């Protein structure tokens, strides 16, 4: 057959990405034979420059990884140069090289795309579904592709996020084994143009990583403040004077007074007790005297 669908995807990133993002980018390039690579883009350049890079590389789709603060990763999916484009926050990244991913597939084989039914209910998800189909599906009769279908790309929506998984189809019993990579896409915005333009959709459930870290710090600080207040209250309680409880007059009702003993006045001086010396000491003294006598006699 003839190669009619000439979709080409440019996959590259900005400077400052970590090793895990670099491995994820390399995994996507190996799984997508219709992709192309380019050098890292400087962070000072504006995103509109990517349209010119795609035109130079003869690509009409783009996956761009943008790193910020060396810990937050953002992914741009764009149809260049007209648009639309979508920006995602990438979370929970796992690559092909991890030990849990035991599956395997033929390099360059064409994948099946499986979508959640939720993609057909909401208009912004329907737009993303079309964007995913055009970017991740390998064109038929592509020169670098193989005429086999042995793995599945699944896009599932749970917890207001899109979960990407890659499974191998085992021929024996048609069961699935995960290959990887896997990641979670948290939608931020959908733009009308490529890497900019009017905003078509903004996710109301999105919370930026900076805000999340700030809330975590505030919760930790609130716990510490609560402990300090408890300690201060305990100190004040210890320093404060004890409140004297008034005596209850009804407590003495059932007490019977004891009989008063007559006072006896002793007119005669009491006899002094005889001083009894220690008998052991007397014996010791007698023994010493006897020893002296024996010595003088000897």
């Amino acid at each position: 057959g003839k190669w009619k669908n000439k979709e080409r995807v440019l996959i590259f990133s900005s400077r400052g990405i970590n090793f895990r993002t670099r491995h994820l980018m390399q995994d996507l390039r190996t799984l997508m034979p219709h992709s192309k690579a380019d050098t890292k883009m400087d962070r000072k350049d504006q995103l509109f420059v990517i349209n010119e890079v795609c035109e130079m590389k003869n690509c009409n789709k783009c996956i761009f990884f943008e790193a910020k603060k060396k810990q937050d990763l953002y992914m741009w999916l764009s149809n260049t140069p007209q648009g639309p484009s979508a920006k995602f926050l990438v979370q929970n990244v796992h690559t092909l090289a991890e030990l849990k991913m035991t599956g395997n597939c033929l390099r360059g084989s064409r994948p099946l795309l499986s979508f959640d039914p939720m993609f057909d209910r909401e208009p912004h998800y329907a737009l993303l579904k079309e964007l995913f189909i055009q970017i991740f599906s390998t064109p038929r009769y592509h020169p670098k592709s193989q005429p086999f279908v042995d793995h599945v790309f699944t896009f599932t929506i749970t917890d207001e996020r899109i979960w990407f998984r890659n499974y191998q189809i085992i021929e024996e019993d048609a069961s699935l084994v995960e290959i990887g990579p896997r990641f979670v896409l948290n939608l931020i915005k959908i733009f009308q143009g490529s890497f900019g333009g009017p905003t078509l959709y903004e996710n109301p459930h999105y919370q930026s990583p900076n805000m999340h870290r700030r809330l975590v710090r505030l919760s930790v600080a609130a716990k510490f403040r609560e402990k300090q207040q408890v300690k201060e209250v305990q100190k004040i309680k210890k320093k404060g004077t004890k409140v004297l409880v008034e005596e209850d007059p009804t407590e003495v009702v059932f007490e019977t007074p004891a009989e008063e003993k007559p006072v006896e006045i002793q007119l005669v001086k009491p006899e002094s007790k005889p001083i009894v010396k220690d008998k052991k000491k007397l014996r010791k003294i007698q023994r010493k005297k006897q020893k002296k006598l024996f010595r003088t006699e000897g």
Side-chain angles (χ1 to χ4, degrees):
K2 291 185 179 180
W3 175 34
K4 295 179 181 179
N5 184 10
K6 299 295 180 76
E7 295 283 353
R8 297 182 185 88
V9 183
L10 180 65
I11 302 176
F12 72 120
S13 68
S14 65
R15 296 193 181 277
I17 61 171
N18 56 10
F19 72 98
R20 191 176 287 273
T21 308
R22 188 172 67 252
H23 291 174
L24 173 64
M25 190 169 56
Q26 191 61 38
D27 293 344
L28 290 176
R29 286 173 184 166
T30 55
L31 289 171
M32 299 164 64
H34 60 292
S35 63
K36 288 188 176 183
D38 195 26
T39 56
K40 293 179 182 178
M41 196 180 77
D42 197 356
R43 283 183 292 182
K44 294 180 182 178
D45 296 337
Q46 293 185 353
L47 295 176
F48 295 105
V49 182
I50 300 174
N51 295 324
E52 298 177 6
V53 177
C54 291
E55 189 177 354
M56 290 167 60
K57 288 283 183 179
N58 196 17
C59 296
N60 51 4
K61 298 288 185 295
C62 181
I63 299 177
F64 177 68
F65 292 95
E66 186 181 7
K68 290 185 178 179
K69 293 187 176 181
K70 296 184 179 180
Q71 54 183 343
D72 302 330
L73 178 64
Y74 298 92
M75 179 192 283
W76 285 83
L77 300 178
S78 176
N79 180 21
T80 58
Q82 290 86 13
S85 59
K87 185 180 181 182
F88 301 91
L89 174 69
V90 186
Q91 299 170 328
N92 302 334
V93 176
H94 297 272
T95 58
L96 277 170
E98 297 198 10
L99 297 174
K100 290 182 180 178
M101 312 297 182
T102 56
N104 192 9
C105 68
L106 185 67
R107 186 186 179 100
S109 59
R110 300 176 67 236
L112 291 174
L113 300 185
S114 173
F115 289 94
D116 194 278
M118 189 71 181
F119 278 97
D120 299 326
R121 296 173 190 168
E122 300 290 337
H124 60 281
Y125 283 139
L127 179 62
L128 290 177
K129 179 182 178 181
E130 186 62 32
L131 196 61
F132 288 144
I133 290 172
Q134 293 183 15
I135 290 176
F136 288 97
S137 62
T138 303
R140 196 177 181 186
Y141 303 119
H142 192 278
K144 293 182 181 179
S145 67
Q146 301 289 340
F148 302 105
V149 178
D150 60 352
H151 63 286
V152 185
F153 289 162
T154 61
F155 299 88
T156 313
I157 298 173
T158 50
D159 195 21
E160 304 296 334
R161 292 171 173 83
I162 300 170
W163 300 64
F164 175 86
R165 296 287 185 272
N166 181 21
Y167 296 97
Q168 176 197 359
I169 303 171
I170 300 175
E171 295 179 356
E172 298 172 359
D173 54 352
S175 60
L176 300 177
V177 179
E178 190 170 359
I179 304 172
R182 59 155 70 167
F183 51 86
V184 180
L185 298 175
N186 191 359
L187 178 64
I188 302 173
K189 284 183 181 181
I190 300 175
F191 299 96
Q192 185 176 350
S194 177
F195 296 98
T199 304
L200 297 178
Y201 176 78
E202 186 174 358
N203 188 7
H205 306 285
Y206 171 72
Q207 187 183 62
S208 65
N210 293 331
M211 181 62 69
H212 178 71
R213 286 190 287 267
R214 182 172 175 270
L215 292 174
V216 171
R217 287 197 301 270
L218 287 175
S219 65
V220 173
K223 287 181 181 178
F224 179 74
R225 237 181 278 118
E226 188 178 354
K227 287 181 181 178
Q228 293 295 111
Q229 289 175 357
V230 170
K231 286 181 182 178
E232 288 176 3
V233 170
Q234 289 176 352
K235 285 181 182 178
I236 292 168
K237 284 183 178 179
K238 287 179 181 179
K239 288 181 181 178
T241 55
K242 294 181 180 179
V243 181
L244 296 174
V245 182
E246 296 180 357
E247 293 183 359
D248 190 3
T250 58
E251 287 182 355
V252 201
V253 173
F254 298 101
E255 288 183 2
T256 54
E259 295 181 357
E260 294 183 0
K261 294 181 179 179
V263 181
E264 294 181 357
I265 299 170
Q266 195 170 3
L267 301 175
V268 183
K269 183 181 178 182
E271 295 179 358
S272 58
K273 294 180 179 178
I275 299 168
V276 180
K277 293 183 178 181
D278 193 359
K279 294 180 180 179
K280 291 182 180 179
K281 285 185 179 180
L282 290 172
R283 288 173 186 171
K284 286 179 181 179
I285 293 166
Q286 289 175 359
R287 285 173 189 167
K288 284 180 181 179
K289 286 180 179 179
Q290 287 177 1
K291 285 179 180 179
K292 283 181 182 180
L293 289 170
F294 284 125
R295 286 172 187 170
T296 49
E297 289 175 358

